[in-house]
Every structure is written in structure tokens, then in C-alpha cells.
Amino acid sequence: MTDFDPEQFEDKYANYFPQLQKAYQQAFEVMNDRYDSELVHAIDQQILNESEPFYDDDQGFYVELPESPVDRLTAIIVDDEKLSTVLEEYVGQIETELHDIFGVER
């Protein structure tokens, strides 16, 4: 667990880059164990690569996705409902990992 300072998270890539990488990697591993690896990898590379983690006192950690995330996925064919379900769970897993790594309760 890392000491967490919400003000320092505003410059997260300078102050917390290793922890961010760890959270995304751990979420990837969890999702890769649950779902088709091609789908998880495609989401990781084509949607989550442009996502942005944030923190505020009311919501805790949350991840904002790029505009039109479903339209960004071109590496594989998957129906929109399945993609939305897996993507929602993946984002939730990233948020869980961030809370765990930084020791911040939801």
C-alpha cells in the first residue's frame, strides 16, 4: 500500500506512475482470467489506453473512458452488449485495484 495524497494525484503521472501501472496490470490479469484474452487485450489496447484515472473525495477513484469507446474497438468482432458488459467490469476492476493499492476505502 502506498501513502496517498489527493493533491499529488492531480499530477498522477509524475507522482504515482508505478502504482497506476500496477493497478492497470492487476486489473488486466484479473479480467484475462475471466474473459476471452483477445477481447481483454483489445479493450486494453484500443479503449483503456486512452482512459484517465481520477480521484475525488466524494467518488474515490474513477476512470473516465475516451469518447465513443465502443466505436474504438476494431481489433475483434464482438457484440456491443458483451463489450459494454466486459468494459464496465474492467473499469470497475481498475477502480478496485486503485483503491486497494492506495489504501483508500470506497
Side-chain angles (χ1 to χ4, degrees):
M1 187 169 22
T2 299
D3 289 335
F4 179 69
D5 180 346
E7 288 182 20
Q8 288 206 352
F9 200 74
E10 291 176 21
D11 193 10
K12 59 190 150 269
Y13 299 113
N15 297 316
Y16 294 117
F17 189 71
Q19 294 87 351
L20 294 171
Q21 280 186 308
K22 183 176 180 180
Y24 273 73
Q25 180 60 37
Q26 287 178 192
F28 177 86
E29 290 172 9
V30 168
M31 295 302 294
N32 204 38
D33 287 344
R34 292 183 188 162
Y35 294 98
D36 175 65
S37 62
E38 284 185 77
L39 175 57
V40 172
H41 189 264
I43 291 171
D44 181 65
Q45 295 296 307
Q46 294 187 315
I47 299 173
L48 295 176
N49 67 332
E50 296 290 328
S51 68
E52 188 76 27
F54 291 96
Y55 177 84
D56 76 32
D57 290 332
D58 295 329
Q59 289 182 307
F61 290 101
Y62 62 97
V63 175
E64 286 189 4
L65 296 175
E67 198 170 311
S68 304
V70 172
D71 295 338
R72 296 175 63 88
L73 193 70
T74 60
I76 64 169
I77 297 172
V78 61
D79 70 74
D80 289 352
E81 185 176 330
K82 181 172 183 171
L83 173 57
S84 294
T85 300
V86 174
L87 181 57
E88 183 178 323
E89 185 176 337
Y90 202 154
V91 168
Q93 188 64 45
I94 293 168
E95 292 167 351
T96 296
E97 298 295 340
L98 288 167
H99 281 92
D100 289 350
I101 286 169
F102 289 108
V104 175
E105 291 187 31
R106 286 184 163 235

